Amino acid sequence: DAGVTQSPTHLIKTRGQQVTLRCSPKSGHDTVSWYQQALGQGPQFIFQYYEEEERQRGNFPDRFSGHQFPNYSSELNVNALLLGDSALYLCASSLQGVSAGELFFGEGSRLTVL
Amino acid sequence: GQQLNQSPQSMFIQEGEDVSMNCTSSSIFNTWLWYKQDPGEGPVLLIALYKAGELTSNGRLTAQFGITRKDSFLNISASIPSDVGIYFCAGQGVRDTNAGKSTFGDGTTLTVKP
């Protein structure tokens, strides 16, 4: 049973560039959420995708955008990168319903912006 | 916005000792969750709580959903070296439950000395 997979695991970008991160959810899951985790802090909710639509969004600017594909996989795009965007980006999958809060996380994509 | 205060920030204990950590919020939550994160990995769900006053165990771990719905506690009994890691509490507010958005604390770092 494949868990949540993310790619790439590490990447380095410079200010102003754009980045795309990818996520495949756990088998059988239909919902994907993205979180940003800065060093020494807990994950911060970016947004969630279900049925190929953004359902809820955290306090992140429009530079952060996403997409969900028919096979439930998802992408996170960040434009005009800032130094402060350096963080671990976590993808989490879940199922709608009573257990919607039970998130299964991938290992994350560590982004460094220089 | 919603904030979770998690304490203590770090703990250094001897193998075999019991551990207690807690999480408080200024807002009411419908769901409390506890995760553990090891270095280089994403958080892993330990326990999910859905009802005020609920006490749930998972092996040596026991968690409680506070009666006021504004706090939760996690206890680890008879700690072992593999308990080392960062423990996060997370909560879901009334409007967040169906969307799966979780608010995370900043974690308790546990070190276990053999």
Side-chain angles (χ1 to χ4, degrees):
Chain A
D1 179 22
V4 178
T5 58
Q6 291 187 243
S7 64
T9 54
H10 295 83
L11 68 167
I12 299 173
K13 294 285 187 177
T14 56
R15 280 179 297 174
Q17 285 189 313
Q18 177 263 347
V19 67
T20 298
L21 308 178
R22 296 177 176 82
C23 172
S24 291
K26 178 179 167 64
S27 178
H29 282 185
D30 56 8
T31 304
V32 172
S33 303
W34 287 91
Y35 285 78
Q36 180 195 65
Q37 186 177 25
L39 205 59
Q41 296 182 16
Q44 298 278 319
F45 177 76
I46 303 175
F47 43 51
Q48 184 190 72
Y49 278 85
Y50 172 65
E51 292 186 337
E52 301 180 49
E53 290 190 357
E54 183 183 294
R55 295 192 70 207
Q56 193 171 11
R57 189 179 184 93
N59 293 325
F60 281 81
D62 292 345
R63 298 187 296 109
F64 290 76
S65 63
H67 189 77
Q68 185 180 35
F69 300 94
N71 67 352
Y72 307 121
S73 67
S74 177
E75 287 182 352
L76 165 66
N77 301 294
V78 187
N79 294 323
L81 286 167
L82 304 173
L83 295 179
D85 294 332
S86 295
L88 180 67
Y89 288 85
L90 293 163
C91 170
S93 72
S94 57
L95 273 172
Q96 292 297 307
V98 173
S99 61
E102 296 180 18
L103 303 175
F104 289 78
F105 285 90
E107 293 188 350
S109 294
R110 182 158 301 279
L111 171 65
T112 301
V113 182
L114 302 177
Chain B
Q2 295 168 332
Q3 276 192 311
L4 294 185
N5 296 309
Q6 196 169 345
S7 65
Q9 191 173 10
S10 60
M11 302 183 75
F12 295 82
I13 63 168
Q14 207 74 34
E15 183 178 356
E17 289 183 350
D18 296 344
V19 172
S20 210
M21 58 190 79
N22 67 77
C23 205
T24 60
S25 168
S26 56
S27 306
I28 288 174
F29 283 113
N30 275 0
T31 305
W32 282 96
L33 308 115
W34 286 90
Y35 292 84
K36 181 186 179 220
Q37 186 173 27
D38 292 329
E41 298 184 13
V44 173
L45 180 65
L46 299 174
I47 294 178
L49 302 157
Y50 294 99
K51 193 175 176 182
E54 180 182 354
L55 188 71
T56 297
S57 293
N58 177 7
R60 293 178 295 105
L61 277 61
T62 302
Q64 183 162 26
F65 191 140
I67 296 276
T68 64
R69 295 167 64 192
K70 291 185 177 182
D71 58 4
S72 180
F73 304 86
L74 175 70
N75 295 316
I76 305 173
S77 63
S79 58
I80 59 178
S82 63
D83 290 334
V84 165
I86 305 176
Y87 291 80
F88 290 100
C89 62
Q92 287 196 314
V94 175
R95 292 194 304 174
D96 300 329
T97 303
N98 289 333
K101 171 189 173 184
S102 288
T103 299
F104 281 77
D106 281 339
T108 293
T109 300
L110 179 63
T111 302
V112 179
K113 292 177 280 187

